[in-house]
């Protein structure tokens, strides 16, 4: 069974600084998707960034980028130029590539606080 | 609709009563997920529907929990004889089974259930 581990329950960063959130996962599959979701206090889950496992290039979305290490089963999120609005829970998630194994599995989350 | 819609937004019920939570997925999405999020915790997988396949019920915590999806669209999560430990936010998400752009699960804003 797939598992997702986020080893940092809480982190804080100064505004405009860079922070990296860690995520590791365990799977025997070769094709899958990885995601980072943001959950602000409004509790709406918002997709931040996604990575297809077959792509070697790390995904980037504006200030957000990932370091995807397939062999190490690691998928960290880097937030550059942190903003106060980045304060939220961040969840790493794994999804199998279609078919009957489509369960979306989440880590326990990292609470990120951006301080002015 | 434009997004995943969940109702009610908040529900307070007495211990021992049954409750029904509703999820309207994005039109055309074949996959539908239910998750439970206890206060300050991660997302606990409950059940997954994919098209006409038998649902994956492996996450349901007890036989008091059940879910159905009528016509491949709207889903209802039913909790019978509610207990105080059932108090949580129940999140629903939907996604396409296959997408050239990569699968993404879209979430509703959840139903906050409080059992008193």
């Amino acid at each position: 069974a797939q598992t997702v581990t986020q080893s940092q329950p809480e982190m804080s960063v100064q505004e405009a600084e860079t922070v990296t959130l860690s995520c590791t996962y365990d799977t025997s599959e070769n094709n899958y998707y990885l995601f980072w979701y943001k959950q602000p206090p409004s509790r709406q889950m918002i997709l931040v960034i996604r990575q297809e496992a077959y792509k070697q290039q790390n995904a980037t979305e504006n200030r957000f980028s990932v370091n995807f290490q397939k062999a190490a089963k690691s998928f960290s999120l880097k937030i550059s130029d942190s903003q106060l609005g980045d304060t939220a829970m961040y969840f790493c998630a794994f999804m199998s590539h279609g078919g009957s194994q489509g369960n979306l599995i989440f880590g326990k989350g990292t609470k990120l606080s951006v301080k002015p | 609709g434009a997004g995943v819609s969940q109702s009610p937004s908040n529900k307070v019920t007495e211990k021992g009563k049954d409750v029904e939570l509703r999820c309207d997925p994005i039109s055309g999405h074949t996959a539908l997920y239910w998750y439970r999020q206890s206060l300050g915790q991660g997302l606990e997988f409950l059940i997954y529907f994919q098209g006409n396949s038998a649902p994956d019920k492996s996450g349901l915590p007890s036989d008091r929990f059940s879910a159905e999806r009528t016509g491949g669209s709207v889903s209802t999560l039913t909790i019978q004889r509610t207990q105080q430990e059932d108090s949580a936010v129940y999140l629903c998400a939907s996604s396409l089974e296959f997408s050239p752009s990569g699968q993404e699960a879209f979430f509703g804003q959840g139903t906050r259930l409080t059992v008193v």
Side-chain angles (χ1 to χ4, degrees), chain A residues 5-41:
Chain A
T5 302
Q6 293 178 250
S7 58
Q8 305 150 316
E10 293 193 40
M11 291 193 73
S12 65
V13 63
Q14 290 296 129
E15 194 175 9
E17 297 292 311
T18 295
V19 63
T20 299
L21 308 184
S22 300
C23 173
T24 58
Y25 58 95
D26 189 23
T27 184
S28 59
E29 299 181 12
N30 194 46
N31 288 331
Y32 49 87
Y33 300 95
L34 295 164
F35 307 89
W36 278 98
Y37 278 88
K38 169 185 177 181
Q39 187 181 41

Side-chain angles (χ1 to χ4, degrees), chain B residues 15 32 35 37 45 72 83-84 90-91:
Chain B
K15 179 181 173 181
L32 187 147
Y35 292 87
Q37 186 176 28
F45 167 72
Q83 304 295 313
Q84 287 186 327
Y90 289 82
L91 290 166

Side-chain angles (χ1 to χ4, degrees), chain B residues 17-29:
Chain B
K17 300 280 189 183
D18 297 352
V19 294
E20 284 189 353
L21 312 180
R22 177 186 169 102
C23 173
D24 277 283
I26 292 173
S27 179
H29 281 194

